[in-house]
């Protein structure tokens, strides 16, 4: 992967003699690589693992509805074996595939507090595995110094830190792409076709995490470039088998779409927001200017829009110094079999995202992770020169850019964004003081009072969130038609459905509650509740400022057939 590598017989890469002989130079490289790796782990602990999640608003599971549906699917898979979300008594399909929720299940099955920390522990684990795996990969190819530098680069990238803290699938999607690229590299370098087949399986399964990762599939052209003298027939057979393995691994995603939505290419977006899907083409050249604008604002550290990265971090995805360091890495590249496969896959994916209708910086995370392999090439050369006691203007310049990449300076952070910031500094100081989770505290307050009295809960909190957290006898639903699931043409819930749900509960002698978040206009919020003849809504006096809880009680004095909301008690 570096300019100093060369092919043996035009096929495999040789190992540097200094690494084979076990000289003092090798020991210095190993020691420096291990030091950088340990430093990366310490930074990861300070910026990610050390966070007390209960003192943050992360437990709100924003952004909506992404993180809420991931969590709800994981709970549903664990309890019922199906990836659904629940609204009222209805078990419904999610917008998103179940790959990331499946990754949560090991944590979900062992964590207390209804498993609310499972999404975060999952991403924290994936982040730690990505750092460790990257170092082990470079160590396996006898480049321990590059391995240490690579892990340090990854650990200090703001996108990595942000999404290692998050409850979203972006980190897992980027991690599986890094794994696939590593398997292909080792397969070509070690002449092991089995590793390329494994990469095909990983890429196929990745569609269940993020479907757009299918555009990384051109990486599998590596099988056609495999360095072996075999007959044309066997070469063609292996190429076809690679595609077949990829297709079989990807088939669960398409089978699930067919079973849930009636077509392999239809997703939950067509079910929940069909008007948005009909409005514009998913891929178009008209989308390029907006996407390029986002990329340019990141490169120049001049963004001004609130984005998902602000929910779990500083709002920045990448710093200018890292982009420059990666560009320098192009000078160290020799176009060989792996490089051809990697550049083809990366280019196809990048072109696809740039023409995509929805502009999100997190869609570029797989590319950002892969750029680390480019950025580490000049860094490895410069640090190696310094360890050998050789200094030059170019070497010192590369070292300076590498250090600026690691500390993330200059950059901007927060919303409204402030310039002149260091991402490493902000990463270590961001999370523990950013507030509390209003939604999580509200349901905790509700359970504290009414845990032993289950019933129907109308709420302005997302119903899939509540149904995933509340014990099973409770059933949560929206207050009225003002909710995130109001655009479907196939499923509807409005005021009439709220009245029917409450009437159904009363017919079963179930209790009926309303759980509302505190607001400046509590009276208007309560007036949204459905009116039921012979009943009145009474506010609970046992709550504190965490939630507004109202119970539906029988009104013995009600005589009129026309219910009026003047019978609300405080």
């Amino acid at each position: 992967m570096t300019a100093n590598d060369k092919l043996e017989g035009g096929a495999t890469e040789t190992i540097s003699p200094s690494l084979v002989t076990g000289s003092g130079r090798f020991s210095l490289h190993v020691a420096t690589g291990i030091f950088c790796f340990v430093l990366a782990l310490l930074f990861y602990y300070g910026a990610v693992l050390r966070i007390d999640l209960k003192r943050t608003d992360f437990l709100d599971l924003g952004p909506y509805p992404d993180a809420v549906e991931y969590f709800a699917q994981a709970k549903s898979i664990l309890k019922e074996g199906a990836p659904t979300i629940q609204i009222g008594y209805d078990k419904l399909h999610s917008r998103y595939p179940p790959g990331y929720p499946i990754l949560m299940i090991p944590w979900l099955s062992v964590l207390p507090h209804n498993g609310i920390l499972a999404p975060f522990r999952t991403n924290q684990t994936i982040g730690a595995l990505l750092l460790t795996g990257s170092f082990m990969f470079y160590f396996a190819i006898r480049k321990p110094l590059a391995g240490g530098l690579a892990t340090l680069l990854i650990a200090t990238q703001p996108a990595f830190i942000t999404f290692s803290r998050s409850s979203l699938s972006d980190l897992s999607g980027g991690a599986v792409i890094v794994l696939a690229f590593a398997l292909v590299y080792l397969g070509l370098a070690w002449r092991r076709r089995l590793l390329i087949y494994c990469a095909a399986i990983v890429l196929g399964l990745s569609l269940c995490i993020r479907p757009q990762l299918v555009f990384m599939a051109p990486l599998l052209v590596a099988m056609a470039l495999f360095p072996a003298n075999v007959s044309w027939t066997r070469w063609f057979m292996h190429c076809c088998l690679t595609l077949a393995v990829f297709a079989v691994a990807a088939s669960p995603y398409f089978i699930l779409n067919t079973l849930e939505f009636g077509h392999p290419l239809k997703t939950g977006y067509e079910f929940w927001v069909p008007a948005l899907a009909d409005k514009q083409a998913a891929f178009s050249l008209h989308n390029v200017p907006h996407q390029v604008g986002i990329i340019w604002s990141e490169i120049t550290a001049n963004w001004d829009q609130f984005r998902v990265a602000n929910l779990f971090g500083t709002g920045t995805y990448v710093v200018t110094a890292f982009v420059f360091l990666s560009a320098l890495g192009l000078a160290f590249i020799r176009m060989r079999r792996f490089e051809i496969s990697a550049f083809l896959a990366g280019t196809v994916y990048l072109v696809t995202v740039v023409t995509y209708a929805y502009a999100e910086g997190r869609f570029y995370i797989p590319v950002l992770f892969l750029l680390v392999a480019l950025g580490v090439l000049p860094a490895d050369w410069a640090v190696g020169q310094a360890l050998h006691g050789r200094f030059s203007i170019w070497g010192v310049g590369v070292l300076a850019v590498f250090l600026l990449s690691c500390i993330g300076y200059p950059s901007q952070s927060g919303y409204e964004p402030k310039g002149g910031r260091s991402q490493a500094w902000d990463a270590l100081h961001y999370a523990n003081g950013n507030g509390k989770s209003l939604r999580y505290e509200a349901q905790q307050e509700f359970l504290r009072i009414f845990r032993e009295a289950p019933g129907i809960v109308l709420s302005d909190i997302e119903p899939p969130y509540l149904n995933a957290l509340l014990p099973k006898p409770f059933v949560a639903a929206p207050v009225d038609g003002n909710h995130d699931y109001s655009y479907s043409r196939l499923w509807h819930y409005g005021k009439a459905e709220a009245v029917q749900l409450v009437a159904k509960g009363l017919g079963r002698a179930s209790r009926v509650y309303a759980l509302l978040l505190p607001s400046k206009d509590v009276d208007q919020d309560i007036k949204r509740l459905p009116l039921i003849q012979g009943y009145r809504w009474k506010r609970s006096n046992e709550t504190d400022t965490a939630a507004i809880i109202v119970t539906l009680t029988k009104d013995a004095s009600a005589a009129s057939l026309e219910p009026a909301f003047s019978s609300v008690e405080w």
Side-chain angles (χ1 to χ4, degrees), residues 398-484:
V398 171
L399 284 176
V401 175
F402 173 75
L403 291 175
L404 288 174
S405 298
C406 291
I407 65 175
Y409 181 86
S411 184
Q412 58 180 24
S413 299
Y415 187 79
E416 302 283 337
K418 297 179 181 178
R421 303 297 300 175
S422 163
Q423 289 298 313
W425 176 265
D426 288 340
L428 294 171
H429 294 82
Y430 169 77
N432 283 340
N434 79 330
K436 295 183 178 181
S437 169
L438 298 179
R439 288 164 173 78
Y440 186 72
E441 289 196 348
Q443 65 85 29
Q444 285 286 90
E445 176 71 6
F446 176 79
L447 282 181
R448 183 183 66 81
I449 302 171
F450 298 106
R451 181 181 292 274
E452 303 303 325
I456 293 173
V457 183
L458 301 183
S459 180
D460 55 359
I461 302 173
E462 289 71 16
Y465 180 90
L466 287 179
N467 282 315
L469 289 175
L470 296 175
K472 192 164 187 176
F474 290 93
V475 174
V479 171
D480 52 24
N482 184 21
H483 53 82
D484 289 331

Side-chain angles (χ1 to χ4, degrees), residues 41-76:
L41 292 181
L42 290 174
F43 181 80
Y44 186 69
Y45 170 79
V48 177
L49 301 181
R50 185 178 56 87
I51 293 175
D52 184 359
L53 293 167
K54 295 178 184 178
R55 296 179 58 191
T56 71
D57 58 7
F58 292 179
L59 300 189
D60 274 346
L61 294 187
Y64 309 115
D66 305 42
V68 167
E69 291 195 16
Y70 287 134
F71 178 63
Q73 282 190 83
K75 295 279 287 192
S76 176

